[in-house]
Amino acid sequence: MRHLLSIEDLDRAGIERLCERAASFAEVADRPIKKVPALRGRTVLNLFYESSTRTRSSFELAAKRLSADVVNFAASGSSVEKGESLRDTVQTLAAHRPHAIVVRTPWAGASKLITQWTDAAIVNAGDGQHEHPTQALLDIYTLRSRLGSLDGLNVWVVGDVRHSRVARSLVLGLQTMGANVTVAGPPTLVPQDISVLGCDVRYTLDDLPEADVVYALRMQNERMKQAYVPSLREYAAAYQINNRRLGARQLLMHPGPVNRGVELAGDVVDGPQSLILDQVRAGVLVRMAVLYEVLASGGGPTSPPDGRRGRGGSGGRDPLNPPELHPA
């Protein structure tokens, strides 16, 4: 895998391979020394034009646990505030020869453009309202860890679908794994053409009991240019997931951050059906797997520490069962 720009870059076998790789890294997380030398000598640059807690910190932890060098770049306080373009920023940073660039921007398609300006492997950490492929992957990993196969699973994605980059990646990824997906929310917050992705569309939660998994999305007020609902109080009355709406057998997910009292009631956030913290833990493992895939398994532009160009330095060994998975 050269880059990860979209969940559509992966077929079912590819998603399963990444989930299996993430599971192999779970054992590393339980060790006293939580590092392996798989990416020693590589540099990972986190290029974030938007605020982030979970995604940025999990990519940083993932790279460090693989023994990569990590450089964090935030647009705030940089030359971007002086008017520097995305292209100039990328080319300036690429002059330091990072092996991978993890990119989050407010512009749809930016990660694909960046592949034209650098030889580094590019991982899309969210591009505008377009996609967030590693979030979908960690959600799939979380569900597989809890349930096994996702074939025939009924997943409802509820909330602000219009402004969510998670929703599109999640719908496509879950369907690739055999799940049935329904999106639900106010008509103003559900794109009219969302059904072309193959999902069902509902505008009420009347049939929510048919869901096996309820995946809530937050109201992304920072992206709204107009009023899409009369008020948050009225939105919560109609679409909030709470103990009255969430059945005892249903699992609850959310990409974070949670707006307690809006899309989720506090009691379900902390309840036994919640997988939200499982998702956070899965984030590091899955992003370790993604970075390993683009840099060490033959897909990315890796340079071994001695400076020679190569295919991750695997020396012809099986990249999916590397002998270097031992403490650094």
Side-chain angles (χ1 to χ4, degrees), residues 241-256:
I241 307 302
N242 49 42
N243 275 330
R244 296 189 306 277
R245 291 195 170 110
L246 191 69
R249 68 173 184 83
Q250 293 175 310
L251 297 175
L252 176 69
M253 302 181 77
H254 191 293

Side-chain angles (χ1 to χ4, degrees), residues 112-183:
K112 186 173 183 179
L113 273 177
I114 290 171
T115 64
Q116 303 172 27
W117 304 330
T118 175
D119 290 333
I122 304 301
V123 178
N124 181 5
D127 58 339
Q129 296 168 205
H130 182 223
E131 280 219 48
H132 196 350
T134 60
Q135 179 68 48
L137 288 170
L138 73 87
D139 294 333
I140 290 169
Y141 174 85
T142 301
L143 286 173
R144 277 170 50 98
S145 298
R146 174 63 70 96
L147 302 173
S149 173
L150 306 191
D151 286 308
L153 191 72
N154 292 316
V155 181
W156 276 50
V157 181
V158 179
D160 183 5
V161 178
R162 178 179 296 277
H163 300 98
S164 172
R165 55 181 153 222
V166 172
R168 186 173 187 274
S169 293
L170 185 64
V171 168
L172 293 170
L174 287 171
Q175 290 180 148
T176 298
M177 300 303 293
N180 305 310
V181 183
T182 298
V183 300

Side-chain angles (χ1 to χ4, degrees), residues 7 11 22 25 49 55 58 82 85 90 93 96-98 101 125 205 216 221 236 269 281 290 317 321:
I7 197 69
D11 57 12
F25 285 132
Y49 278 77
T55 303
S58 64
K82 302 175 183 178
S85 69
V90 169
L93 295 171
H96 299 296
R97 301 185 64 79
I101 302 178
L205 301 186
N221 296 308
V269 174
R281 286 187 284 268
V290 168
R317 298 169 302 207
N321 294 286

Side-chain angles (χ1 to χ4, degrees), residues 202-213:
R202 309 289 176 86
Y203 299 112
T204 72
L205 301 186
D206 294 346
D207 296 322
L208 189 66
E210 70 185 33
D212 300 307
V213 179

